[in-house]
Amino acid sequence: MPTTTKEQQRLGRLQSYGVLNTNAEPALDDLVRIAQAAIDAPIVMITFVDESLVWVKSKLGSDITEVPRDVSFCAHTLDNHGEILEVQDANLDERFIANPLVTGPTKMRFYAGAPLITPDGLALGTLCIFDQKPRSLDEPKRLVLSALARQVIAQLELRRTALSEHAIREELRQTIAGLRESDDRYRSLVSALDVGVVMQEHGGAILTANASAERILGLTVDQMKGLSSMDPRWRSVREDGTPFPGEEHPAMQSLSTGRPCRDVVMGVRKPDSTLTWILIHSQPLFHADESQPYAVVTSFHDITDARNYESGLKQDRDSADQASRAKSEFLATMSHEIRTPLNSIMGVAALLQESELEDDQKRLVQLLRRSGDHLLELITDVLDMTRIEAGHVELVQEILDPGELLQRVGEIYEMRAREKHIDYEIRASDRVPTRVVGDPGRIRQVLVNLIGNAIKFTESGGVRVTLDVSFDSEALTFVVSDSGIGIPADKIESMFDPFVQVDGSPTRKEAGTGLGLAISRRLATLMNGSIRAESQPGEGSRFYFSVPIIKVPEDAVTKTETESTQPGQPGGNTRSRQNRGLNILVVDDNPDNLMLIDAFLKNSPHTWQCVNNGENAIQKFANETFDVVLMDVQMPGMDGYATTRQLRSLEEARLKESQIDPAESGTRRAHILALTANAFQEDIDRSLQAGCDAHLTKPITKQILLKNLNSISVATG
Ligand code: ADP
């Protein structure tokens, strides 16, 4: 029999009644008993029909427990449109004449069955009676049979409802247990968290909190319950120490905006008044389909330790910065204090050397000058080192010819090499470009140091300096080779540390500061280059110094080119103008310095006047025109910067008065040269800002002073 939808529904319902087993059902047995008595039938059954069998659920007067569906009376009853099927004599009904129930030992002749029909019209089985003799069922008995059949279904329905009620209750019980379990799980999860978690209702009052929240905030959950973020007892503060308004608390923000609020730092006071710093995230909670949050969950970390550590670090950093600044200032002061008298010593020594001296005296003066030079070198190096370490060194970017630069530096040492009777060779490869961008002063400084060392530590053989481009053509490589004493392998790297000398003994032959290589390496690094050394003790050393090649932009013009293309300035003129005398004002509070400059200027074409403070300088300047002012920067009272500013405004007023074309006024201004023992970039910047044209570092030699005056004389001539 094909399974129709109706049949499927029917079978499903049978399943749901849970009657397809042989367990006795007292209620059904009672109905069978009533039926037997009321209808007076020898055999009564309640049957259910499944796919293939007729199950006898309750019975009286028979042992039959099941019958195949296709030979059953009941199957026919189900198809009888809800009516009772009455077979008065099976022998006369061709549907049943060959039925085993009729032909077999049960010898059935009479059958009457009322279908069991569910309220929604599904026929599940029958309440039926059998008799071994033919008979008929009168109307009252038919009514009883139908009524009892309805009672069977009513019983089953009752059971089903009871069953499903039980199932619902069971399901509910399980759901509640599940909920409880998951609630427990969440609770233990939340309480195990190291972050504080607080839940607040939509008005802001705290509903609950976890153990970490209790620990971080120093309050029990009970103490927290009902408190809102607006409660003044929190005494919350911002990072800058100002009060943190309750309405700006991230929880309140989240509640009012409906958006999460993250990474807010807040300080809260525990009841014992200690300040705890927390990092807060708030997340609003919504019911489905609602746009207003019903609550907010706030989590927070205790960041007090991290903050203290950080502020400790910051303090450490600040004090380190301060210490470094103090060191720089100390060195600047020291260098000033040393340079000022050194200035006089060196000046006097230079003047002495020019005078008539006995041979012994000459040697003493030479010693004086050498010691002075060394001291000066030491101060310069220490200052340089400090400046580099403090990040005060800024490289200049100029167009330069590396080969020519090397040649010039090389010349400095020619004399020395000749004196030591060693070979000395400088060579640049043709591949080296003639125009690159770089800091010529700093490249020169490194080369001076490397070549100086090579000559210093070489007694026989020679020194050779080459310049080439690297294999990849990206860098310039200077190689300084010597056949000198060499360097032990374990000293090759430490040699680049400050104050390291390979032979540190007081008896060592060569003077030096131990700073040259340290400075050189730092400068090379600053230029994005490098320095390294190779050496064989007793055979010689080789230093490699590389700097990247920075190509000159196409449109750049070199200084020399600009100068040489200036019209009306043929080179020959320079010499003819060289001796133009300048009117000079010397301003210095130190009588030794004044005396020295006085001595330097003697026999020069210039005229000069000396004053020993700023006020006198201004007075002189107001009454006379000077071409040059030599301005000491550090003076008691009005210092060099202030004096310079005053001189410049005096000058400004004077130029305005005389209505000189501003374009021409440049040539009418005095050249103010700042004289200072401080060689820090800040000092230089400061003097330029005050209105100085250039900066000369003390101690000044006669040569440098005259050279500077000369170039002013040429430029303004
Ligand atoms: P210094 O002013 O003492 O020369 P440097 O930093 O320039 O300081 O050099 C440090 C030390 O490295 C020198 O004292 C010397 O011992 C060693 N050194 C440097 N260059 C050479 C070289 N070409 N040959 C042998 N030793 C050298």
Side-chain angles (χ1 to χ4, degrees):
M1 164 173 205
T3 326
T4 61
T5 320
K6 191 94 174 172
E7 176 66 5
Q8 271 172 359
Q9 259 184 318
R10 212 182 61 75
L11 294 171
R13 184 62 54 83
L14 270 176
Q15 285 290 335
S16 76
Y17 284 144
V19 286
L20 290 185
N21 54 49
T22 46
N23 294 347
E25 303 269 348
L28 298 186
D29 289 348
D30 283 350
L31 287 174
V32 168
R33 233 170 263 132
I34 295 168
Q36 192 182 43
I39 302 171
D40 184 24
I43 301 166
V44 182
M45 294 178 187
I46 292 174
T47 66
F48 294 106
V49 182
D50 80 358
E51 274 166 299
S52 54
L53 286 177
V54 175
W55 294 75
V56 180
K57 182 70 195 177
S58 262
K59 59 191 181 268
L60 275 175
S62 167
D63 299 331
I64 299 171
T65 54
E66 56 184 61
V67 184
R69 181 171 174 169
D70 47 2
V71 298
S72 70
F73 285 79
C74 294
H76 289 275
T77 314
L78 299 197
D79 293 338
N80 208 34
H81 313 291
E83 297 294 319
I84 290 176
L85 174 70
E86 189 180 344
V87 181
Q88 292 180 346
D89 188 347
N91 280 346
L92 303 177
D93 191 322
E94 60 183 38
R95 287 178 294 180
F96 304 107
I97 202 159
N99 191 295
L101 286 172
V102 179
T103 58
T106 50
K107 289 191 181 118
M108 299 300 188
R109 295 290 289 277
F110 172 77
Y111 170 85
L116 303 176
I117 298 174
T118 64
D120 50 345
L122 300 169
L124 303 181
T126 65
L127 170 63
C128 60
I129 55 175
F130 285 96
D131 208 333
Q132 287 173 327
K133 47 187 198 284
R135 58 184 275 189
S136 69
L137 211 58
D138 60 19
E139 193 52 29
K141 283 180 180 153
R142 290 176 76 95
L143 286 175
V144 169
L145 192 65
S146 298
L148 289 175
R150 283 197 297 276
Q151 281 308 306
V152 173
I153 284 293
Q155 276 300 321
L156 294 181
E157 279 292 307
L158 212 64
R159 273 172 42 133
R160 196 165 74 107
T161 323
L163 245 179
S164 61
E165 252 174 32
H166 174 76
I168 289 168
R169 253 200 312 275
E170 180 60 19
E171 210 168 292
L172 206 64
R173 197 189 61 75
Q174 277 178 8
T175 311
I176 290 169
L179 275 177
R180 240 181 232 141
E181 201 180 321
S182 97
D183 188 52
D184 281 353
R185 236 180 274 141
Y186 277 117
R187 251 174 224 286
S188 40
L189 197 74
V190 171
S191 65
L193 284 178
D194 200 32
V195 281
V197 179
V198 164
M199 189 171 174
Q200 287 158 273
E201 49 91 33
H202 60 88
I206 292 181
L207 296 168
T208 185
N210 70 349
S212 291
E214 292 185 313
R215 177 176 47 79
I216 297 171
L217 301 175
L219 292 172
T220 65
V221 174
D222 285 339
Q223 287 171 322
M224 274 185 258
K225 269 186 189 163
L227 276 185
S228 102
S229 306
M230 321 283 270
D231 199 296
R233 277 173 288 179
W234 292 115
R235 293 181 284 166
S236 321
V237 289
R238 293 183 195 277
E239 282 188 279
D240 61 6
T242 58
F244 204 122
E247 59 271 19
E248 286 178 27
H249 187 288
M252 303 313 283
Q253 294 276 314
S254 284
L255 284 171
S256 65
T257 62
R259 278 195 299 275
C261 186
R262 301 183 60 81
D263 299 319
V264 178
V265 174
M266 181 189 281
V268 280
R269 290 218 178 268
K270 287 190 185 182
D272 65 4
S273 278
T274 53
L275 190 59
T276 302
W277 289 97
I278 52 178
L279 179 68
I280 311 177
H281 310 307
S282 288
Q283 177 83 37
L285 301 180
F286 295 92
H287 285 309
D289 305 332
E290 279 181 18
S291 58
Q292 293 291 319
Y294 71 91
V296 60
V297 170
T298 301
S299 60
F300 46 95
H301 295 265
D302 186 343
I303 55 163
T304 313
D305 288 349
R307 252 186 79 97
N308 289 346
Y309 177 69
E310 233 170 61
S311 68
L313 275 189
K314 197 178 145 351
Q315 263 169 19
D316 286 355
R317 236 184 347 254
D318 284 354
S319 46
D321 284 353
Q322 227 168 3
S324 149
R325 258 198 308 280
K327 190 174 106 185
S328 298
E329 272 160 27
F330 170 75
L331 283 167
T333 315
M334 277 298 290
S335 87
H336 175 81
E337 294 304 322
I338 296 170
R339 273 173 197 250
T340 307
L342 191 60
N343 196 12
S344 315
I345 296 169
M346 298 295 283
V348 170
L351 290 174
L352 263 180
Q353 215 166 20
E354 282 176 12
S355 62
E356 298 285 313
L357 290 177
E358 309 271 312
D359 282 355
D360 267 3
Q361 289 172 319
K362 265 197 185 129
R363 267 197 302 281
L364 287 175
V365 173
Q366 259 167 15
L367 176 64
L368 188 65
R369 288 199 76 179
R370 262 211 309 281
S371 307
D373 280 340
H374 182 223
L375 194 54
L376 188 59
E377 192 191 335
L378 181 67
I379 296 166
T380 311
D381 280 359
V382 167
L383 258 179
D384 219 20
M385 193 69 202
T386 329
R387 264 185 278 164
I388 294 171
E389 300 227 301
H392 284 316
V393 169
E394 276 174 31
L395 296 175
V396 301
Q397 298 246 302
E398 272 175 26
I399 297 170
L400 59 100
D401 177 343
E404 193 197 311
L405 189 147
L406 175 62
Q407 215 58 47
R408 291 249 177 94
V409 179
E411 281 164 13
I412 303 174
Y413 287 101
E414 250 161 29
M415 186 70 164
R416 184 90 189 93
R418 217 173 301 143
E419 280 168 11
K420 288 188 85 170
H421 305 292
I422 54 173
D423 296 335
Y424 183 54
E425 188 189 359
I426 305 282
R427 177 163 298 171
S429 150
D430 292 340
R431 284 185 293 271
V432 175
T434 53
R435 278 158 55 90
V436 300
V437 175
D439 187 331
R442 293 308 187 170
I443 296 176
R444 187 178 301 119
Q445 191 177 352
V446 174
L447 288 173
V448 162
N449 184 252
L450 295 182
I451 303 173
N453 279 347
I455 291 184
K456 187 157 71 174
F457 295 104
T458 303
E459 297 307 323
S460 65
V463 171
R464 187 184 146 89
V465 187
T466 60
L467 167 60
D468 207 336
V469 292
S470 60
F471 292 122
D472 57 7
S473 308
E474 297 280 331
L476 293 173
T477 305
F478 297 90
V479 184
V480 182
S481 322
D482 67 61
S483 56
I485 59 170
I487 305 144
D490 62 330
K491 293 282 168 37
I492 287 227
E493 268 309 299
S494 63
M495 192 168 67
F496 291 98
D497 292 338
F499 300 111
V500 169
Q501 289 170 327
V502 173
D503 178 3
S505 63
T507 55
R508 81 196 144 90
K509 260 181 78 193
E510 300 300 341
T513 62
L515 280 170
L517 288 178
I519 292 172
S520 296
R521 176 166 272 182
R522 280 166 170 75
L523 287 178
T525 309
L526 211 62
M527 292 187 266
N528 293 321
S530 64
I531 289 192
R532 64 184 177 87
E534 284 170 1
S535 183
Q536 203 65 45
E539 288 183 18
S541 315
R542 182 168 292 187
F543 285 77
Y544 297 85
F545 165 42
S546 295
V547 279
I549 295 177
I550 305 171
K551 297 220 172 67
V552 178
E554 291 295 323
D555 52 351
V557 188
T558 52
K559 258 192 206 153
T560 30
E561 279 168 347
T562 341
E563 279 164 11
S564 63
T565 51
Q566 262 178 10
Q569 265 223 344
N573 261 4
T574 314
R575 189 155 297 153
S576 64
R577 285 178 183 165
Q578 208 161 18
N579 290 333
R580 187 183 88 92
L582 299 167
N583 194 20
I584 304 166
L585 178 63
V586 186
V587 191
D588 199 320
D589 65 303
N590 187 322
D592 290 350
N593 281 344
L594 287 179
M595 201 175 80
L596 207 61
I597 292 174
D598 200 64
F600 287 162
L601 291 174
K602 216 165 265 169
N603 302 326
S604 78
H606 312 296
T607 52
W608 66 97
Q609 297 177 50
C610 297
V611 290
N612 63 359
N613 62 45
E615 287 81 2
N616 290 345
I618 293 162
Q619 217 166 27
K620 273 258 183 286
F621 198 81
N623 299 322
E624 207 173 313
T625 310
F626 291 95
D627 303 302
V628 175
V629 180
L630 295 176
M631 177 72 71
D632 181 29
V633 158
Q634 281 202 339
M635 290 186 294
M638 185 186 274
D639 68 11
Y641 305 120
T643 312
T644 302
R645 273 192 291 275
Q646 293 249 12
L647 297 191
R648 285 301 184 206
S649 51
L650 254 176
E651 199 173 46
E652 197 69 32
R654 196 188 301 159
L655 285 171
K656 231 178 240 160
E657 224 167 80
S658 60
Q659 289 180 325
I660 286 174
D661 176 5
E664 225 187 289
S665 67
T667 57
R668 305 292 177 99
R669 282 179 201 276
H671 274 252
I672 305 184
L673 299 180
L675 304 181
T676 169
N678 295 341
F680 283 109
Q681 187 63 44
E682 295 96 277
D683 302 305
I684 299 173
D685 290 347
R686 234 181 120 189
S687 62
L688 294 180
Q689 250 164 34
C692 296
D693 296 286
H695 180 277
L696 299 180
T697 307
K698 290 187 202 172
I700 308 161
T701 62
K702 183 174 173 181
Q703 262 171 320
I704 289 181
L705 180 64
L706 293 182
K707 204 176 127 207
N708 271 281
L709 292 176
N710 244 345
S711 52
I712 293 170
S713 152
V714 170
T716 58

